[in-house]
């Protein structure tokens, strides 16, 4: 891919790039819809990434050519939302606390399916952020960049996401997942035992989060936190949620968040103790909770998780990310991965008629120059 974006840059702009950035997607092992409740998440960066070849220019223009989506051009002094993919680029440039003196030219290509719940948008934002720091000669500040990327989504794109995706893409360490406290933004590496492998299970279904029920869920959580008199659902206990006078749907949303927060911390502890069986069990329970209480799964995600978890060597499987469509994730005994992938794909295809893509991934490093 590195050679490919360098070649793409040369043929598109008739010049050589100054540097190349690799910005990975992410898969979340457990802890979904907890980040905007100041809670815990356990994601890892994946091997698939967005690659950006970049060079400064003398004027204040930005020209970004996406291999998949074509050319977008704008002026640094006039960054406005256009409802196009390039809003992730322009929004990040607006929100970064960096003054670029000159514009830049970039050629990018991605291995991350768009709308597939692997954070293609955060990969693009953090890739552009990393490039901007390089262009400005400013020392890389992953947390500041992640917060800028989140503001770009919230305020420029109009997607009220939490901090998980940008933070893991900015800070991931090769070989480990990260237990992230989304209140303190502290990330602790959680090692994955060698005998198990993370497998991404793409259902072949897609969604646009801006149109989904994501915002409704977020608003419901804030409503419950206010009713309970706590700053965020991270501070609520199950007893508080069960005893309060709440709308029954809101109560189920809050039950998911409170349980998922505890399960996420327990999963990280289980992995660190080498207890992949315990971790897998939490992943299965989390899927049920996202399906029944939080109601963000889909028939395709349910079919994938269900089929996967009954295969030999599978310790746990669940939808990952926001939900509604896209990918699930499984923890699988390393010596069973090949058989797991072929059997799950075949049974899923037969059950749903959708074309899945399943692949193992090692936890990769976060965004960086390569
Ligand atoms: C999306 C958002 C994240 C997080 C997940 C659900 O990926 O961007 O902030 O809320 O959904 O866990």
């Amino acid at each position: 891919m590195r050679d490919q974006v360098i070649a793409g840059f040369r043929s598109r702009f008739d010049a050589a790039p100054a540097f190349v950035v690799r910005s990975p997607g992410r898969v979340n092992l457990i802890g979904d819809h907890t980040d905007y409740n100041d809670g815990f998440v356990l994601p890892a960066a994946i091997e698939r990434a967005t690659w950006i070849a970049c060079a400064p220019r003398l004027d204040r223009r930005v020209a970004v050519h996406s291999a998949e989506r074509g050319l977008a051009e704008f002026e640094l002094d006039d960054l406005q939302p256009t409802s196009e993919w390039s809003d992730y680029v322009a929004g990040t440039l607006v929100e970064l606390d960096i003054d670029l003196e000159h514009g830049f030219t970039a050629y990018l290509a991605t291995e991350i399916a768009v709308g597939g719940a692997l954070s293609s948008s955060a990969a693009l934002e953090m890739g552009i952020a990393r490039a901007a720091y390089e262009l400005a000669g400013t020392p890389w500040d992953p947390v500041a960049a992640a917060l800028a990327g989140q503001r770009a989504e919230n305020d420029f794109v109009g997607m009220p996401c939490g901090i998980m995706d940008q933070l893991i893409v900015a800070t991931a360490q090769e070989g480990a997942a990260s237990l992230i406290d989304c209140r303190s933004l502290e990330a602790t590496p959680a090692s994955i035992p060698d005998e198990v492998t993370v497998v991404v299970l793409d259902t072949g279904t897609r969604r646009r989060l801006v149109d989904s029920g994501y915002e409704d869920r977020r608003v419901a959580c804030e409503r419950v936190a206010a009713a309970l008199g706590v700053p965020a659902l991270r501070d609520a206990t199950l007893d508080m949620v069960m005893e309060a006078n709440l709308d029954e749907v809101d109560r189920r949303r809050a039950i998911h968040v409170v349980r998922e927060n505890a399960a996420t911390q327990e999963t990280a502890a289980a992995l660190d103790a080498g207890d992949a069986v315990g971790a897998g069990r939490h992943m299965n329970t989390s899927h049920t909770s996202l399906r029944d209480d939080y109601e963000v799964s889909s028939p395709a995600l349910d079919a994938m998780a269900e089929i996967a978890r009954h295969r030999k060597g599978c310790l746990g499987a669940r939808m990952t990310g926001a939900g509604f469509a896209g990918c699930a994730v499984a923890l699988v005994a390393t010596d069973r991965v090949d058989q797991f992938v072929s059997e799950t794909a075949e049974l899923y295809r037969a059950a749903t008629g959708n074309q899945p893509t399943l692949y193992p991934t090692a936890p990769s490093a976060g965004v960086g120059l390569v």
Side-chain angles (χ1 to χ4, degrees):
M1 279 301 273
R2 185 174 184 279
D3 292 347
Q4 217 167 300
V5 290
I6 292 173
F9 188 100
R10 281 184 195 280
S11 76
R12 185 70 188 76
F13 301 114
D14 207 17
F19 59 88
V20 175
V21 173
R22 172 187 175 275
S23 191
R26 67 99 186 91
V27 68
N28 191 21
L29 297 181
I30 190 166
D32 275 310
H33 295 275
T34 46
D35 63 350
Y36 52 79
N37 290 300
D38 277 3
F40 292 88
V41 294
L42 188 60
I46 60 172
E47 287 166 311
R48 296 196 177 190
T50 293
W51 297 73
I52 308 177
C54 188
R57 23 194 303 161
L58 298 181
D59 56 13
R60 289 185 55 81
R61 213 164 164 70
V62 175
V64 185
H65 187 101
S66 153
E68 295 82 22
R69 295 187 277 188
L71 181 68
E73 282 192 278
F74 37 81
E75 293 291 328
L76 275 181
D77 302 303
D78 183 27
L79 299 169
Q80 306 285 347
T82 59
S83 297
E84 296 289 331
W85 67 271
S86 54
D87 281 358
Y88 295 111
V89 178
T92 302
L93 294 174
V94 167
E95 296 296 343
L96 278 175
D97 202 12
I98 276 188
D99 278 328
L100 283 182
E101 206 177 317
H102 300 287
F104 61 90
T105 309
Y107 183 92
L108 59 96
T110 191
E111 302 161 312
I112 312 163
V114 172
L118 298 177
S119 290
S120 59
S121 55
L124 179 52
E125 291 151 12
M126 293 303 94
I128 291 296
R130 186 68 196 83
Y133 274 80
E134 186 64 16
L135 289 162
T138 307
W140 174 234
D141 181 340
V143 175
L147 288 167
Q150 184 193 17
R151 288 196 299 273
E153 292 235 13
N154 291 174
D155 303 338
F156 206 82
V157 176
M159 156 61 186
C161 67
I163 191 63
M164 166 169 69
D165 303 345
Q166 291 78 11
L167 203 58
I168 187 65
V169 172
T171 64
Q173 294 185 19
E174 192 172 356
S178 290
L179 176 67
I180 299 176
D181 177 336
C182 296
R183 175 168 277 165
S184 69
L185 304 187
E186 200 186 322
T188 314
S191 53
I192 298 175
D194 287 343
E195 320 80 73
V196 289
T197 296
V198 175
V199 182
V200 175
L201 319 171
D202 189 337
T203 62
T205 59
R206 297 287 177 259
R207 54 80 182 111
R208 280 192 76 226
L209 275 190
V210 179
D211 307 328
S212 75
Y214 186 93
E215 188 170 4
D216 285 0
R217 301 300 187 284
R218 188 170 179 157
V219 170
C221 290
E222 283 162 9
R223 192 163 50 227
V224 176
L228 299 179
V230 291
L233 282 184
R234 187 241 180 87
D235 306 301
T237 63
L238 210 51
D239 284 348
M240 287 164 81
V241 172
M242 299 317 280
E243 283 160 20
N245 179 20
L246 297 173
D247 170 84
E248 284 311 312
V249 173
D250 281 2
R251 191 189 314 279
R252 281 194 283 119
R253 305 295 188 246
I255 290 173
H256 164 73
V257 174
V258 171
R259 287 195 175 138
E260 183 93 346
N261 254 332
T264 301
Q265 296 169 78
E266 286 163 25
T267 305
L271 286 176
D272 266 337
D275 176 13
V277 172
R281 205 175 292 131
H282 284 305
M283 290 172 73
N284 288 339
T285 311
S286 162
H287 183 85
T288 308
S289 166
L290 287 158
R291 183 190 65 199
D292 299 343
D293 286 336
Y294 218 67
E295 294 180 284
V296 291
S297 190
S298 72
L301 288 164
D302 290 344
M304 185 65 94
E306 185 67 21
I307 290 166
R309 82 172 57 157
H310 289 107
R311 306 278 61 77
K312 265 207 192 88
C314 182
L315 303 166
R318 61 188 287 284
M319 54 154 274
T320 188
F324 308 104
C327 290
V329 60
L331 206 57
V332 181
T334 302
D335 58 1
R336 292 273 182 187
V337 166
D338 291 347
Q339 196 185 353
F340 169 82
V341 164
S342 62
E343 282 183 17
T344 306
E346 197 181 312
L347 289 167
Y348 172 81
R349 203 179 295 117
T352 63
N354 299 327
Q355 185 58 43
T357 311
L358 278 64
Y359 51 94
T361 185
S364 94
V367 66
L369 267 61
V370 287

